[in-house]
């Protein structure tokens, strides 16, 4: 079964606006990761937040984690056309063997110039 | 210098054929993976290998056989290809500590089309 669900499935904004994507998951985790996938390319790791962290920043990215609600959000500030991509959250299961990550269904972000 | 490279990028083949996809990583990671991405972009793990040892085999048909000759290489061989095998296959690698994977590094994918 799918661990993560992302919301919205698609998001269209103008350049310069902020984009917020949400991820919910079902089981306990020790970290949560966000990835970006440009069209026709592989996924790129953006940021990892541990279960004992509530917020993390990386450049224009801000990630929050609320383990009581089993949810995370990714905020991209001052978006650019180059941010157009699909964004996925991913979680390893706490008693996971083998490093398996379970991916959400992704949010397709379109940033219009 | 490509960190995770997989070949070929595109593969078009007829039903019933056998094909292989190769993957190599130069990051020194101890764990490698194969994921399948369907037309709706849903990513599902197929296999993971840690230091050449198969750790995860996620109910994949036995027509799919991974092989890891060393910890830097993980190849995927598919026998008797079916239409439903059409998808994008991604190789990835990561370091795993105490069963926790750190960020994956993905290859650029192999788009397999079975006709």
């Amino acid at each position: 079964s799918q661990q993560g669900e992302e919301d919205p499935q698609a998001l269209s904004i103008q350049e310069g606006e902020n984009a917020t994507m949400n991820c919910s998951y079902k089981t306990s985790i020790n970290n949560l990761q966000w990835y970006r996938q440009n069209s026709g390319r592989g996924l790129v790791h953006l940021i990892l937040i541990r279960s004992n962290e509530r917020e993390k920043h990386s450049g224009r990215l801000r990630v929050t984690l609320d383990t009581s609600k089993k949810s995370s959000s990714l905020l991209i500030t001052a978006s650019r056309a180059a941010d157009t991509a699909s964004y996925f959250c991913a979680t390893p299961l706490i008693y996971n063997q083998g490093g398996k990550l379970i991916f959400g269904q992704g949010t397709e972000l379109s940033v219009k110039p | 210098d490509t960190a995770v490279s997989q070949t070929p990028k595109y593969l078009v083949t007829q039903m019933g054929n056998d094909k292989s996809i190769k993957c190599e990583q130069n990051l020194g990671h101890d764990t490698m993976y194969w994921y399948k991405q369907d037309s709706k972009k849903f990513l599902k793990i197929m296999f993971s290998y840690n230091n050449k040892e198969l750790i995860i085999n996620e109910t994949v048909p036995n027509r799919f056989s991974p092989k890891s000759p060393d910890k830097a290489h993980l190849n995927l061989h598919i026998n008797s290809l079916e239409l439903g095998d059409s998808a994008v296959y991604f190789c990835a690698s990561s370091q795993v500590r105490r069963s926790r994977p750190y960020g994956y590094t993905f290859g650029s994918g192999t788009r397999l089309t079975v006709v």
Side-chain angles (χ1 to χ4, degrees), chain A residues 59-89:
Chain A
R60 293 183 297 111
L61 305 181
R62 181 172 80 101
V63 169
T64 62
L65 179 64
D66 186 335
T67 51
S68 67
K69 295 181 180 176
K70 292 189 167 59
S71 68
S72 174
S73 67
L74 171 67
L75 168 68
I76 304 174
T77 59
S79 64
R80 305 166 182 168
D83 295 328
T84 295
S86 295
Y87 292 82
F88 296 87
C89 67

Side-chain angles (χ1 to χ4, degrees), chain A residues 6 10 60 72 98 102 108:
Chain A
E6 299 190 46
R60 293 183 297 111
S72 174
I102 299 180
E108 282 204 33

Side-chain angles (χ1 to χ4, degrees), chain A residues 24-69:
Chain A
S24 60
Y25 56 92
K26 296 175 185 170
T27 63
S28 297
I29 60 170
N30 46 45
N31 72 61
L32 184 142
Q33 304 176 28
W34 284 90
Y35 289 79
R36 183 187 75 233
Q37 184 180 29
N38 290 90
S39 181
R41 309 290 289 273
L43 283 78
V44 174
H45 180 252
L46 295 176
I47 197 164
L48 180 154
I49 186 165
R50 300 181 203 282
S51 58
N52 61 356
E53 297 176 308
R54 292 294 167 258
E55 189 169 310
K56 200 160 181 181
H57 297 253
S58 176
R60 293 183 297 111
L61 305 181
R62 181 172 80 101
V63 169
T64 62
L65 179 64
D66 186 335
T67 51
S68 67
K69 295 181 180 176

Side-chain angles (χ1 to χ4, degrees), chain A residues 30-33 35 45 48-50 90-102, chain B residues 30-31 33 35 45 56 93-104:
Chain A
N30 46 45
N31 72 61
L32 184 142
Q33 304 176 28
Y35 289 79
H45 180 252
L48 180 154
I49 186 165
R50 300 181 203 282
T91 53
L93 300 178
I94 240 187
Y95 297 113
N96 174 39
Q97 296 293 319
K100 172 181 171 182
L101 276 182
I102 299 180
Chain B
D30 57 9
T31 306
Y33 313 84
Y35 274 76
I45 192 167
I56 293 174
S93 70
S94 76
Q95 202 63 22
V96 176
R97 295 192 189 96
R98 289 186 285 172
S99 297
R100 300 171 192 181
Y102 288 78
Y104 281 15

Side-chain angles (χ1 to χ4, degrees), chain A residues 37 41-42, chain B residues 6 33-35 37 88-91 106-109:
Chain A
Q37 184 180 29
R41 309 290 289 273
Chain B
Q6 57 181 107
Y33 313 84
W34 281 110
Y35 274 76
Q37 187 174 45
V88 182
Y89 292 84
F90 286 101
C91 176
F106 279 84
S108 56

